[in-house]
Amino acid sequence: MRSKNTNDLSAATELANKKSKWKLLGKQKGLLLMSVPFVLYIIVFRYIPLLGWTMAFQDYKPSNGFLNQTWVGMKWFKELFKSTDYVNGGTTWNVEFLRSLRNTVGMSLISTFLGYITAILIAVFLNEVRHIGIKRFVQTVSYLPHFLSWVIVTSLVANVLSVEDGTLNNLLLSLGLVKEPVQWLATPKYFWHIVGWSYVWKEVGWNTIVYLGAMTAIDPCLYEAAEIDGCGRLGKIWHITLPGIKPTIIIMMIMSAGHILDSNFELPFFLRNGMNIDVSNTIDLYVLKYGFKLFNFSIATAAGIFKNAVNITLLLIANTIAKKSGEERLI
């Protein structure tokens, strides 16, 4: 009898939970209806296009139709690293893709490192400024470039670095630091750094907002206690501010690890020229060339899949390391 009563009670509880869930959904039907367009957007523009990944495993010919293709397995992934030498026979290293991979990683690491350092420094500086007017002015000026398109940014960079009448060359000449104008965009060794600092100029103010938001969550009592103990400004920054935003820094680093092969497309594309082509080609430009100029959709798709696979792997590795170290993690 007791067992039967227990089962009846469990069934009644389960039924009540189901009714409460449906009741809750009924109350939130407005929010659910508002989310429908976004769900459809994700499905149509994010998930359905993944069917195109099958081209990386086919000898894709547009004239044959999507379902009438020859399957070639991992052929195009191998071609990314070792391409077939039709003249001498055998295979050779795919120097073009390997160079694009090197350039992508190099530019991404420089941009990420400079972006982190500058954003954290500016956020700490603004947090220490007590004059509200100065604080708002610096913050506004620093994040305004974020709203400029990369086309405008690259045009400004090209004008500033121009050989004939560039602002930077005129300044260096007037100060006597150089004897003749420097060909910044025509010298390969400068290109990665130009890309990195251009990214910093455009995005540093916007990235600073994240760390300023994290600083507002720090208990002001900690600063008061440190001041009573005789701690100066640098000491409070080192022992309170930076540890207070450490979880945010870790999360941002984990997210950046998932974008190592996602170097900015527009910046190298608009700044490259015949003199810096060896250091300006990225994986995205490689995909653009083979997909839309040479119409080799298979190897272009394989390059895109490789990029995403590496990004996801790096994201999981960074998250695992943070988890093992007892730090904040993304997932």
Side-chain angles (χ1 to χ4, degrees):
M1 182 66 68
R2 183 177 297 177
S3 177
K4 182 178 179 181
N5 292 335
T6 303
N7 293 335
D8 291 342
L9 181 60
S10 300
T13 303
E14 185 177 355
L15 181 61
N17 290 334
K18 288 183 179 180
K19 288 182 178 180
S20 62
K21 290 179 181 178
W22 283 108
K23 188 176 180 180
L24 180 61
L25 290 176
K27 291 180 179 180
Q28 296 180 343
K29 61 182 179 181
L31 295 175
L32 294 175
L33 289 175
M34 290 175 60
S35 67
V36 169
F38 300 101
V39 173
L40 291 177
Y41 171 83
I42 295 296
I43 294 174
V44 173
F45 294 102
R46 299 296 181 181
Y47 285 100
I48 293 179
L50 292 180
L51 295 174
W53 280 14
T54 56
M55 290 188 291
F57 306 95
Q58 301 170 338
D59 191 5
Y60 186 79
K61 306 293 182 185
S63 59
N64 294 341
F66 191 75
L67 299 177
N68 299 318
Q69 302 294 331
T70 303
W71 294 89
V72 294
M74 302 296 290
K75 170 188 174 182
W76 296 111
F77 290 94
K78 296 176 182 177
E79 287 281 330
L80 289 176
F81 299 95
K82 283 196 173 182
S83 57
T84 303
D85 188 347
Y86 295 100
V87 178
N88 301 318
T91 58
T92 58
W93 289 105
N94 189 345
V95 178
E96 184 180 6
F97 178 76
L98 294 176
R99 187 179 291 127
S100 299
L101 178 61
R102 178 203 65 184
N103 297 339
T104 303
V105 174
M107 282 186 274
S108 182
L109 290 177
I110 290 175
S111 299
T112 302
F113 176 77
L114 292 177
Y116 269 110
I117 297 299
T118 52
I120 294 172
L121 288 177
I122 293 178
V124 170
F125 164 75
L126 291 175
N127 189 58
E128 293 297 318
V129 172
R130 296 293 176 259
H131 194 286
I132 301 299
I134 296 177
K135 188 173 184 178
R136 288 178 178 175
F137 175 78
V138 173
Q139 192 170 0
T140 302
V141 170
S142 64
Y143 73 64
L144 276 179
H146 171 78
F147 300 99
L148 298 176
S149 69
W150 281 110
V151 177
I152 296 176
V153 171
T154 52
S155 298
L156 291 173
V157 172
N159 288 329
V160 170
L161 301 180
S162 174
V163 176
E164 297 179 357
D165 196 27
T167 305
L168 182 58
N169 275 322
N170 289 339
L171 178 62
L172 294 177
L173 288 171
S174 63
L175 295 176
L177 297 178
V178 295
K179 295 181 179 180
E180 58 183 14
V182 180
Q183 297 186 0
W184 298 102
L185 293 176
T187 307
K189 66 179 181 179
Y190 297 135
F191 189 81
W192 290 2
H193 300 282
I194 292 172
V195 170
W197 285 109
S198 299
Y199 172 82
V200 167
W201 178 78
K202 185 177 185 297
E203 300 293 346
V204 65
W206 192 257
N207 295 336
T208 300
I209 296 175
V210 177
Y211 299 107
L212 286 174
M215 290 177 188
T216 59
I218 300 175
D219 190 352
C221 295
L222 296 176
Y223 292 102
E224 296 174 2
E227 189 171 353
I228 292 174
D229 291 339
C231 189
R233 277 198 171 187
L234 291 179
K236 287 187 284 187
I237 291 173
W238 185 256
H239 295 289
I240 299 175
T241 305
L242 292 179
I245 64 173
K246 182 180 177 182
T248 303
I249 296 175
I250 297 297
I251 292 295
M252 297 296 289
M253 285 185 175
I254 294 174
M255 294 176 64
S256 296
H259 293 280
I260 292 297
L261 296 188
D262 283 335
S263 65
N264 185 277
F265 171 80
E266 294 91 344
L267 200 52
F269 178 75
F270 289 115
L271 291 179
R272 68 176 182 162
N273 54 53
M275 301 297 291
N276 62 34
I277 197 72
D278 288 340
V279 295
S280 61
N281 271 339
T282 62
I283 294 179
D284 290 333
L285 296 178
Y286 182 89
V287 172
L288 177 67
K289 173 183 176 181
Y290 279 87
F292 292 93
K293 291 185 178 180
L294 302 180
F295 298 103
N296 190 337
F297 299 105
S298 296
I299 196 168
T301 306
I305 293 175
F306 169 80
K307 183 187 77 169
N308 286 295
V310 172
N311 282 338
I312 292 173
T313 302
L314 291 176
L315 174 66
L316 294 176
I317 291 175
N319 187 78
T320 302
I321 293 175
K323 182 179 179 180
K324 296 292 185 182
S325 303
E327 303 291 346
E328 292 291 329
R329 57 187 185 275
L330 189 62
I331 54 178

